[in-house]
Amino acid sequence: MESAHYFSAQPAGAFTRKPLTVELAGETRRLQTSSAIFSPDGIDKGTAVLLAAVPAPAPQGKLLDIGCGWGPIALTMALRAPHSQVHAVDVNERCVTLTNENAALLGLGNLTASTPDAVDPELRFDTIWSNPPIRIGKDELHALLLLWLPRLAPGGSAWLVVQKNLGSDSLQRWLAAELDGSFTVTRESTSKSFRILRVRKAPH
């Protein structure tokens, strides 16, 4: 895993696309990947746990994937909710390009990947799915989550997968303390050393 620089906006090394065949939303998909991104060779364990555990996203809502990589979470959202509007964000411009190209390969006109600053700050999201980038460090991770989780729409839910030994339980407590009283934070399930955390925004 090339963790040294996949959090860079413009990672080092040539941007050379490679074919990638994976299972997404119940079917085999032929996509593209590259070096200097998160989990370039397939779906990582945490993302697989998340995709197996979460209920279907809001069918016609605004959906968000935080830290999209080459796009497995955002692509699954767009495939499972074709009438939704899916936003995928990543600081790594290579990831943004790959996710948009993979959406085009699958004919998904309802998915847009961008850097975080390109997303309208007024947008509110009905469903958020994320395998958040824990390894960027606690301060950066906290800032990232406090940027996006308050943008849940009333009645919306965010689903996060976090490895137990990387601080899932302390993160759950921190989120419960930091978010205002309109949010609830629960541990929904545990699988293969990963926790699924759910952040809910009250309906009104």
Side-chain angles (χ1 to χ4, degrees):
M1 192 181 298
E2 296 167 276
S3 58
H5 57 256
Y6 66 72
F7 301 126
S8 303
Q10 296 176 313
F15 185 4
T16 304
R17 292 162 179 80
K18 301 179 292 185
L20 176 68
T21 300
V22 293
E23 292 277 325
L24 288 179
E27 291 186 24
T28 300
R29 317 284 178 175
R30 287 172 175 79
L31 306 171
Q32 297 185 122
T33 184
S34 168
S35 62
I37 65 171
F38 176 68
S39 193
D41 299 321
I43 299 173
D44 67 285
K45 290 178 183 176
T47 295
V49 167
L50 179 76
L51 293 177
V54 291
Q60 294 178 308
K62 291 182 173 61
L63 317 180
L64 175 67
D65 171 16
I66 307 166
C68 61
W70 54 262
I73 291 173
L75 294 166
T76 300
M77 288 180 129
L79 288 162
R80 292 180 65 182
H83 301 294
S84 65
Q85 180 185 353
V86 181
H87 294 264
V89 294
D90 205 295
V91 297
N92 185 327
E93 294 173 6
R94 193 171 295 189
C95 293
V96 171
T97 298
L98 286 167
T99 298
N100 281 322
E101 290 178 352
N102 285 332
L105 285 171
L106 298 181
L108 295 170
N110 62 329
L111 194 167
T112 302
S114 69
T115 53
D117 56 2
V119 178
D120 180 354
E122 298 303 313
L123 270 182
R124 294 296 176 263
F125 298 98
D126 302 284
T127 304
I128 297 173
W129 290 357
S130 181
N131 180 359
I134 299 295
R135 296 180 189 277
I136 59 177
K138 186 176 288 188
D139 291 346
E140 290 84 355
L141 175 69
H142 288 173
L144 180 74
L145 293 175
L146 289 182
L147 173 67
W148 294 108
L149 293 178
R151 298 193 197 181
L152 277 171
S157 284
W159 301 82
L160 312 175
V161 61
V162 184
Q163 205 163 348
K164 282 192 288 187
N165 66 358
L166 293 180
S168 60
D169 294 349
S170 60
L171 182 65
Q172 179 184 345
R173 290 190 295 271
W174 180 84
L175 286 169
E178 287 293 319
L179 295 169
D180 70 39
S182 65
F183 293 89
T184 57
V185 184
T186 53
R187 182 198 306 163
E188 292 293 307
S189 61
T190 301
S191 175
K192 298 176 182 174
S193 81
F194 290 91
R195 304 268 203 227
I196 301 291
L197 305 181
R198 183 181 184 186
V199 180
R200 276 176 280 195
K201 172 81 169 175
H204 296 291

